Amino acid sequence: MIEARRLHILRAVADHRTVTAAAAALYLTPSAVSQQLTALEQETGHRLVERGARGVRLTPAGEILLGHTNAVLARLELAEAELAAYSSGSAGTVSVASFATGIGLVVAPALARLARTAPGILLRVQDAEGDASLPMVLDRQVDVAVAVEYRGAPDADDPRLAHIPLYAEPFDAVVPRTHHLADRTEVPLAELAKDPWIGPYPGNPCHDVVVLACEHAGFQPRLEHSSDDFRAVVALASADAGVALVPRSALQGMDLTGVVVRPVDGVAPTRRVFAAVRRGAETHPLILPVLEALAEVAEAPSGVPHLG
């Protein structure tokens, strides 16, 4: 009989590619993870992982078992949801990881809405970049992620996760007031090809949006300054250090005295924001109201930016 706990460990190793990283995500020791993998191999009668200089990879037998693992764990999540519904599940804590702007736009308003509509549900919120929150959900560190689409992110049909679209917003061009394009009503990205750029670090989903937009305009941005804090990005642009693309919502309430903010000429670079939970957990009686509140806030005529 295969233990579900060991399947979860197998998936963590497949996701993180090393025993050490999987152990850290699961709050276990590397030796404990190795022991559980060995026990799983004994249960199945197959070698499931191979260790090499670059970490751990699944064998063909391991890949077969991983496919079933995703289905089994999703069914277990669904079973927990139905059992919780059976016992009413009207009170409890739901943990949410979101990037900072997402917290301000949808998570905090959803928290306030739940205080009125489902006072028994307590949200515990963590600030995490969009590329970090999805692994946190898969590793059961949090229940819900508010994340951004990025290269390498799990697809919407990923068997491990359920996706709930929330909103999409454009990036605007931010240039110093002394810039030669400051008087334009819209900024063509191609005309910023020779400028120094300010932007997020590689790995931040917004970095991918900026680089892809510039590539589509025919150039690679010369990133001279890096920060994941858009207030710092705007401050550097105000000091004439370079130009930037910034999500429209991130500019709200910011000191823009030293810069000019203009829409991008043509098709605007866009970040698409969604909520994600482990597949099968989307109907859990504690998690479902949270997802509904996030979606309702995102659809409401408020400060949440939408693309038509």
Side-chain angles (χ1 to χ4, degrees):
M1 180 70 70
I2 298 174
E3 287 193 16
R5 177 167 55 98
R6 290 172 183 154
L7 293 178
H8 181 61
I9 290 173
L10 178 71
R11 187 164 79 177
V13 170
D15 287 342
H16 293 280
R17 311 256 178 204
T18 70
V19 168
T20 301
L26 298 172
Y27 299 102
L28 297 172
T29 64
S31 62
V33 169
S34 295
Q35 290 170 7
Q36 293 298 317
L37 287 175
T38 299
L40 185 58
E41 289 179 329
Q42 292 172 349
E43 288 174 344
T44 60
H46 291 278
R47 188 178 181 186
L48 302 175
V49 297
E50 291 180 347
R51 292 171 174 80
R54 297 185 178 180
V56 175
R57 70 180 183 87
L58 298 188
T59 65
E63 292 288 354
I64 290 172
L65 184 57
L66 180 64
H68 291 287
T69 291
N70 291 327
V72 168
L73 295 182
R75 292 296 299 180
L76 287 175
E77 292 281 356
L78 182 59
E80 290 182 5
E82 291 183 358
L83 287 171
Y86 178 74
S87 60
S88 81
S90 60
T93 300
V94 176
S95 53
V96 180
S98 171
F99 58 101
T101 308
I103 291 175
L105 282 179
V106 292
V107 178
L111 186 152
R113 180 173 297 225
L114 286 167
R116 299 189 303 270
T117 61
I121 298 177
L122 174 66
L123 286 193
R124 180 176 291 123
V125 181
Q126 298 183 43
D127 187 339
E129 289 299 333
D131 58 330
S133 59
L134 295 179
M136 292 170 71
V137 168
L138 290 171
D139 293 332
R140 303 182 70 90
Q141 296 174 12
V142 298
D143 300 308
V144 181
V146 174
V148 178
E149 290 182 3
Y150 61 94
R151 284 189 289 191
D155 295 331
D157 59 354
D158 189 290
R160 301 168 299 170
L161 294 168
H163 286 230
I164 299 89
L166 294 178
Y167 65 91
E169 66 172 318
F171 281 60
D172 289 326
V174 178
V175 302
R177 287 196 174 277
T178 56
H179 196 275
H180 69 280
L181 297 179
D183 292 335
R184 297 280 191 94
T185 56
E186 294 183 332
V187 172
L189 283 185
E191 295 189 32
L192 300 176
K194 296 182 179 179
D195 285 273
W197 279 73
I198 312 156
Y201 285 101
N204 186 315
C206 291
H207 174 89
D208 288 346
V209 175
V210 172
V211 171
L212 283 173
C214 293
E215 288 176 352
H216 289 158
F219 68 98
Q220 285 281 343
R222 180 163 52 90
L223 285 164
E224 295 286 349
H225 311 281
S226 297
S227 175
D228 288 334
D229 186 336
F230 286 115
R231 290 170 298 182
V233 170
V234 170
L236 287 167
S238 298
D240 206 17
V243 299
L245 288 174
V246 177
R248 185 166 292 172
S249 64
L251 295 167
Q252 295 178 6
M254 211 179 278
D255 181 6
L256 303 175
T257 54
V259 297
V260 170
V261 178
R262 294 288 184 264
V264 172
D265 187 19
V267 178
T270 303
R271 72 170 171 183
R272 302 186 183 279
V273 179
F274 62 94
V277 298
R278 292 179 296 277
R279 191 170 291 277
E282 63 270 27
T283 59
H284 191 287
L286 292 178
I287 293 176
L288 178 58
V290 175
L291 296 177
E292 290 175 340
L294 288 169
E296 288 166 3
V297 168
E299 291 174 0
S302 63
V304 179
H306 288 270
L307 294 178

